[in-house]
Amino acid sequence: MSAAPREPAITPELIREHGLSEEEYARCLEVLGRAPNYTELGIFSAMWSEHCSYKSSKVHLRTLPTTGARVVQGPGENAGVIDIGGDDVAVFKMESHNHPSFIEPVQGAATGVGGILRDIFTMGARPIASLNSLRFGQVDAPRMRYLIGGVVHGISSYGNSIGVPTVGGEVSFHPSYDGNILVNAFNLGVAKRDRIFLGKAEGPGNPIIYFGSRTGRDGIHGATMASDVFESDKEARRPTVQVGDPFTEKLLLEACLELMRTDFLVGIQDMGAAGLTCSTLEMAGRAGTGVVVDLAKVPRRETGMTPYEVMLSESQERMLMVVRRGHEDRAMEIIRKWDLEAEVIGEVTSDGYARILDAGVKVAEVPAAPLSDASPVYDRPRREPASFKQRRALDLRSVPVPNDLAGVLDRLIASPNLCSREWVYRQYDHTVRAGTVVRPGSDAAVVRLVSGGGTGEKALAMSTDCNPRFCQLDPYLGAAHAVAESARNVACSGARPLAATDCLNFGNPENPEILWQLARAVEGIGDACRRLGTPIVSGNVSLYNETDGRAINPTPTIGMVGLMDDDRLAVTSWFKQEGDLIVLLGHTREEIGGSEYLALIHGREEGAPPGLDLALEMAVQEVTLQAIAKGIVRSAHDCSEGGLGVALAECCIVGADALGLGAPPRGASVDLPGGVREDALLFGESASRILLTISEKDLPVFEAVARAGRAPVRVIGRVGRSARDEAGAALEIRSGGTRLLSRPVAALHGLWHSTFPSMMSMTSTTGQP
């Protein structure tokens, strides 16, 4: 018999390779009362990594509002839970898989979907809807087309195979993501309030059961890789990316939900970041207990794995469960019925220690709580960038108003950030399970709670939003805008926003200017969520998103969830009926700072983002919701990127694509009030504005609702006649009777629809990995 491999000596170099600072290693010594062995060093490294411990962000996250009348479970568990009436709850969360997706886009994105699904069904909920928020660099940047195609394929292959619809999301492009793309995955599930399960290892003597896929060497050091910046070693990191199997995940999902219908399940947790290390220590830490685990009993798919490798493997589709003693056989029977591996690998203890054995020989012994919930917490230095005030200053006199405003609209509607995303979402199955009410293409996705249950059912709306350019110019205001826009999109669907999840994507927190961005963004999210009554119930922080010292734009993405009592009232964004009045809620101000127009047409990313009056925001959303509840709103669309001109164009052209029925595009005739310069009027991105269409006969009722809600309202035009010849439908915009632009809707549709496919079909030597 060959001797077991010798463990490396613990040297300063090895400690640095594990991402631990001198101070953190000193704390390891203090916690243990001795020097760690190699396996224990790996455990400390994973548990105290930024990805697992939130050590640079926890100080700031504690300031967020996380409680409310609807909140059943806030941050700290696998996902957040809110009450949606009756005995139903919604379970949701958003997670990042940025670093893995940049290294290996197909598997990185696929396992991001798999991980967020496990977070949801681990809580006892059946996943019913997925969203994603994707940020890419310039299309011609090295590997970028390869990354775009790989990420979309990874999301579609996993989500479509497991049978959970991908119903919406967002895609945007900016040079700051050339070296670090962002892949943020959101999932929502539903459960019964009395059947929520937590990740706790309670009850000394209760057995611990491993089940799911076998353990391999894929994903080792995934958590520490996600807590580091990139340099020139991206390819060398490929083995740290996990490999997913959606068909095994489907079996795992069904096995978990069946186990959760029993009376013997005590606690359950998926093996995500840091694998078996994180699940054992977190479950014990939350319960104030200990565990003893024998790694020789862990099912493996590779031979010769060391305890270090087994503990830190991030192989996918694996779960850890605690059941009441004496019920092991019943649990095993259910798991094996679903053709999954299962083994009792240990039991819960009472002394607070995690003891790791290998064939009965102790290979690690660490206290659970200090590693899981008493990790280092840093209040790192932060500093406002010297350029902050300068880049927010914008002299409008230095920005000439273009002579050809119709040409500007053409360029905006055909730009990568504003064009149709059909190329992306057509690869996703968004109707599986028959619960999707509003598909991709509108402001928010809507899914009814009873799949295939007909109409008149309770439904949930959801949206992900963030404008990273706003956040780069003003992190506080940009993050507050993300909350407001996400809530506004949900309100436009007819659902009342209830709660949110966040995914905070930033650069290196050891840079005081980056940490200042994070701190200010968290303040903005907190203030907006408190004012709008939408607490943060779950989330994720992804730091060190930078390559060779160049950080991404701060991207605090918000996922908002809202509730409607009757899915028949769901509203979409596009014009429906010839002759309908077009109504604008909110104010249009002379604000072009941070706009897509200023960046694309003038090549300038500067100026203060639009102001945000949260009282006005609440009023505009409330009026929209009340009008929809009265059944008088035919369409509702948020005005955001691209401003009012682009929003009107989208209302004319989006419906034909979203319906998939070849519906003719509808034109519109609009006369806008003056008082601001023409480019700001058309393409400025003033906040808290919603375009609605109503029948003329319903105008008095609508105006009464708006007056009662103290929301500014103005009729600005009519939906135009759609001619038999589609070229006859036009969008015409005037101001004070003067025509600003007139464009055939068919031409706008062609520009809007063709950009993404053309962009992805271009041959490029940079399109390969």
Side-chain angles (χ1 to χ4, degrees):
M1 180 181 295
S2 61
R6 290 186 61 183
E7 291 191 337
I10 307 302
T11 64
E13 182 180 6
L14 188 66
I15 294 166
R16 285 193 299 272
E17 288 175 2
H18 279 72
L20 293 170
S21 67
E22 291 182 12
E23 293 79 9
E24 287 168 343
Y25 184 68
R27 187 163 182 174
C28 293
L29 299 178
E30 181 182 339
V31 168
L32 287 177
R34 57 177 171 80
N37 63 31
Y38 183 54
T39 300
E40 291 167 341
L41 181 68
I43 291 171
F44 273 93
S45 170
M47 292 301 294
W48 288 2
S49 68
E50 194 71 60
H51 189 73
C52 292
S53 73
Y54 292 58
K55 58 191 176 187
S56 296
S57 57
K58 195 174 289 185
V59 162
H60 308 287
L61 299 179
R62 287 169 178 162
T63 67
L64 290 172
T66 58
T67 59
R70 295 269 187 174
V71 178
V72 176
Q73 175 65 55
E77 275 290 339
N78 291 294
V81 184
I82 61 170
D83 186 343
I84 53 174
D87 59 352
D88 294 322
V89 294
V91 181
F92 60 96
K93 188 184 182 183
M94 186 157 47
E95 277 269 9
S96 64
H97 232 225
N98 303 333
H99 284 56
S101 299
F102 189 60
I103 297 168
E104 211 306 301
V106 175
Q107 288 300 333
T111 52
V113 174
I116 195 65
L117 287 168
R118 289 194 301 279
D119 281 339
I120 301 308
F121 68 74
T122 298
M123 300 287 291
R126 179 173 292 278
I128 64 169
S130 292
L131 308 176
N132 51 77
S133 177
L134 311 178
R135 313 287 174 181
F136 297 108
Q138 301 169 99
V139 177
D140 288 330
R143 302 175 72 240
M144 198 54 62
R145 287 192 185 87
Y146 160 75
L147 292 170
I148 297 167
V151 164
V152 173
H153 176 65
I155 292 169
S156 65
S157 63
Y158 206 102
N160 295 357
S161 297
I162 198 172
V164 176
T166 302
V167 294
E170 55 181 341
V171 184
S172 68
F173 301 85
H174 190 275
S176 77
Y177 306 108
D178 284 354
N180 285 83
I181 65 171
L182 302 184
V183 176
N184 294 173
F186 169 102
N187 188 262
L188 178 144
V190 292
K192 297 301 180 183
R193 181 166 183 152
D194 63 350
R195 302 303 290 169
I196 294 297
F197 291 86
L198 306 180
K200 292 184 177 182
E202 294 180 319
N206 282 334
I208 299 172
I209 299 176
Y210 169 116
F211 66 105
S213 293
R214 294 187 172 201
T215 294
R217 289 188 171 92
D218 53 317
I220 294 173
H221 292 305
T224 49
M225 174 271 291
S227 307
D228 197 6
V229 295
F230 283 144
E231 293 177 356
S232 57
D233 61 345
K234 290 182 284 293
E235 289 303 307
R237 293 173 181 259
R238 192 174 291 266
T240 63
V241 178
Q242 311 94 326
V243 178
D245 179 357
F247 301 104
T248 298
E249 179 110 335
K250 173 62 173 174
L251 299 176
L252 194 66
L253 185 160
E254 299 299 342
C256 285
L257 294 182
E258 184 170 346
L259 285 162
M260 290 164 177
R261 291 194 289 271
T262 69
D263 61 356
F264 56 73
L265 181 60
V266 174
I268 186 168
Q269 172 127 336
D270 80 298
M271 294 187 220
L276 190 57
T277 290
C278 197
S279 55
T280 52
L281 270 72
E282 284 189 350
M283 291 182 75
R286 291 189 189 112
T289 59
V291 294
V292 58
V293 170
D294 195 330
L295 301 183
K297 298 177 181 179
V298 172
R300 308 181 194 186
R301 64 170 181 262
E302 297 185 50
T303 60
M305 291 186 71
T306 66
Y308 179 98
E309 291 173 324
V310 175
M311 286 299 291
L312 295 180
S313 167
E314 294 184 12
S315 294
Q316 296 290 284
E317 293 90 34
R318 302 180 301 157
M319 307 289 285
L320 203 66
M321 173 176 63
V322 176
V323 301
R324 286 194 289 117
R325 191 167 197 160
H327 295 271
E328 298 92 326
D329 290 345
R330 289 178 61 196
M332 293 290 198
E333 182 182 352
I334 291 172
I335 295 166
R336 287 171 180 158
K337 183 186 84 170
W338 291 100
D339 200 24
L340 295 167
E341 295 270 358
E343 293 290 344
V344 176
I345 65 168
E347 67 177 40
V348 180
T349 61
S350 60
D351 63 1
Y353 274 80
R355 290 184 174 84
I356 313 302
L357 313 178
D358 188 16
V361 177
K362 186 167 64 178
V363 294
E365 183 177 65
V366 296
L371 272 89
S372 65
D373 57 19
S375 58
V377 176
Y378 298 123
D379 189 0
R380 296 189 187 276
R382 46 192 184 272
R383 180 179 65 247
E384 179 183 296
S387 62
F388 174 62
K389 292 181 175 62
Q390 179 182 349
R391 66 173 180 253
R392 294 178 83 256
L394 176 65
D395 185 352
L396 288 180
R397 294 171 298 180
S398 69
V399 182
V401 178
N403 293 322
D404 182 8
L405 295 171
V408 170
L409 179 60
D410 285 354
R411 288 185 62 187
L412 285 169
I413 206 76
S415 68
N417 284 333
L418 298 176
C419 68
S420 169
R421 300 302 193 266
E422 185 185 12
W423 184 92
V424 174
Y425 66 71
R426 288 297 184 197
Q427 299 185 50
Y428 304 149
D429 187 338
H430 40 261
T431 58
V432 64
R433 296 190 58 80
T436 307
V437 178
V438 177
R439 305 176 184 184
S442 194
D443 285 15
V446 179
V447 179
R448 71 173 64 90
L449 299 192
V450 182
S451 297
T455 57
E457 303 287 351
K458 191 159 52 177
L460 293 167
M462 59 211 80
S463 176
T464 64
D465 289 281
C466 181
N467 186 323
R469 187 181 292 117
F470 285 1
C471 295
Q472 176 67 14
L473 293 169
D474 187 328
Y476 174 90
L477 189 52
H481 271 292
V483 174
E485 183 181 351
S486 199
R488 196 182 316 133
N489 282 328
V490 166
C492 283
S493 74
R496 182 171 297 281
L498 297 182
T501 181
D502 59 19
C503 198
L504 308 180
N505 307 274
F506 291 82
N508 186 343
E510 296 166 53
N511 179 339
E513 294 186 357
I514 298 294
L515 198 67
W516 176 85
Q517 292 177 342
L518 172 65
R520 290 294 287 157
V522 171
E523 288 180 47
I525 291 170
D527 287 348
C529 285
R530 274 183 284 270
R531 192 70 177 89
L532 298 180
T534 54
I536 298 289
V537 297
S538 60
N540 170 244
V541 179
S542 175
L543 303 179
Y544 296 95
N545 290 290
E546 63 179 63
T547 296
D548 296 328
R550 186 183 180 197
I552 62 165
N553 278 353
T555 312
T557 307
I558 299 295
M560 187 68 65
V561 174
L563 175 68
M564 63 178 69
D565 292 328
D566 186 341
D567 68 326
R568 292 172 296 186
L569 293 174
V571 172
T572 51
S573 61
W574 49 88
F575 293 152
K576 306 297 191 305
Q577 185 70 42
E578 179 184 330
D580 278 351
L581 298 178
I582 303 170
V583 178
L584 176 64
L585 285 174
H587 293 298
T588 299
R589 299 181 173 88
E590 202 160 77
E591 298 171 307
I592 62 173
S595 65
E596 190 72 21
Y597 158 74
L598 188 64
L600 183 71
I601 304 302
H602 298 281
R604 298 169 66 173
E605 297 194 10
E606 58 189 273
L612 180 59
D613 180 343
L614 290 170
L616 175 62
E617 182 70 46
M618 291 180 67
V620 164
Q621 290 185 30
E622 187 61 35
V623 167
T624 300
L625 287 169
Q626 290 192 23
I628 291 173
K630 290 181 179 295
I632 62 174
V633 175
R634 292 224 170 102
S635 71
H637 185 28
D638 160 48
C639 295
S640 53
E641 288 89 348
L644 192 52
V646 168
L648 286 164
E650 289 170 341
C651 290
C652 291
I653 63 181
V654 172
D657 289 73
L659 290 171
L661 302 175
R666 299 191 180 278
S669 178
V670 173
D671 197 340
L672 300 175
V676 300
R677 45 186 282 167
E678 294 170 345
D679 55 352
L681 182 64
L682 289 173
F683 310 119
E685 297 176 4
S686 293
S688 310
R689 293 183 299 168
I690 296 176
L691 282 170
L692 304 101
T693 54
I694 58 174
S695 169
E696 187 166 6
K697 67 179 177 60
D698 292 322
L699 181 60
V701 175
F702 183 84
E703 288 179 328
V705 171
R707 280 195 303 272
R710 298 183 178 181
V713 60
R714 179 185 291 266
V715 176
I716 61 171
R718 287 183 184 271
V719 178
R721 183 174 62 85
S722 178
R724 282 180 187 274
D725 178 4
E726 290 185 5
L731 170 62
E732 183 174 88
I733 304 178
R734 298 174 177 270
S735 178
T738 301
R739 188 167 74 177
L740 302 181
L741 62 85
S742 180
R743 295 293 290 129
V745 174
L748 290 171
H749 183 273
L751 291 168
W752 178 78
H753 189 271
S754 63
T755 297
F756 215 114
S758 298
M759 187 172 72
M760 291 303 296
S761 66
M762 293 177 184
T763 57
S764 169
T765 57
T766 63
Q768 300 301 316

